[in-house]
Amino acid sequence: DIQMTQFPSSVSASVGDRVTITCRASQDIGTWLAWYQHKPGKAPKFLIFEAHTLQSGVPSRFRGGGSGTEFTLTINSLQPEDFASYYCQQVQRLPLTFGGGTKVEIK
Amino acid sequence: EVQLVESGGGLVKPGRSLRLSCSASGFTFGNYGMSWFRQAPGKGLEWVGFISSKPYGGTADYAPSVKGRFTISRDDSKSIAYLQMNSLKADDTAVYYCGKDWGSGSGSYYVDYWGQGAQVTVSS
């Protein structure tokens, strides 16, 4: 199975800050990576696919990057609605696997 | 508007069975693969399985943790995906989510719409 390691596991930030989350794959997955946002009690939200392509309707302050084994999700100018957990997921090979998640909390 | 609604969750004893349903609307259900995921208490998201659309075989794949115990099926005439869970264990306790595949056809494994989730608790 492809292991996905995500860090940090949590980050405290203020509105207007820039936050970067890193996701590392145990083997080369090209750009077969998605990012999701998840708030407690809500349906997860699809943010980015193919590592860097923004899903329709997702604000441009979200940016995905990377390829191979190292990936990043950057949130520029953090907004109040961005406080949530974020997960990377590889779709290069079954079983699909997620990173452990990053909780973005209000400082 | 795409909507996915899970139902059928509840409290069940270890070793028993439960079937979840995912009722879909707002898109041509038969053209898309469907996935199931879960989130155990205090844990992250976990992929459970995927079923392709019928034109691409309607076949299912599963996570190793549930293979042989869980079965995914679909009824395109009703726009419902099912997750049949047998031989349930305490470790299966989680919120279960269904999701619509982003791409029509053989499936991309990206999920562009998710349901709100259904709680499954396995306890004696």
Side-chain angles (χ1 to χ4, degrees), chain A residues 36 38 43-44 46 50 87 98, chain B residues 39 45 97 110-111 114-116:
Chain A
Y36 297 94
H38 193 200
F46 183 41
E50 292 178 359
Y87 295 89
F98 287 90
Chain B
Q39 184 175 34
L45 294 171
Y97 299 93
Y110 297 117
V111 174
W114 298 63
Q116 298 268 14

Side-chain angles (χ1 to χ4, degrees), chain A residues 31-58:
Chain A
T31 56
W32 295 107
L33 185 104
W35 290 96
Y36 297 94
Q37 177 193 68
H38 193 200
K39 297 179 181 179
K42 303 285 189 180
K45 181 181 178 182
F46 183 41
L47 297 177
I48 287 168
F49 61 98
E50 292 178 359
H52 54 79
T53 304
L54 225 56
Q55 167 66 347
S56 175
V58 174

Side-chain angles (χ1 to χ4, degrees), chain A residues 6-18:
Chain A
Q6 193 176 330
F7 53 91
S9 58
S10 66
V11 59
S12 294
S14 301
V15 172
D17 285 353
R18 174 187 296 170

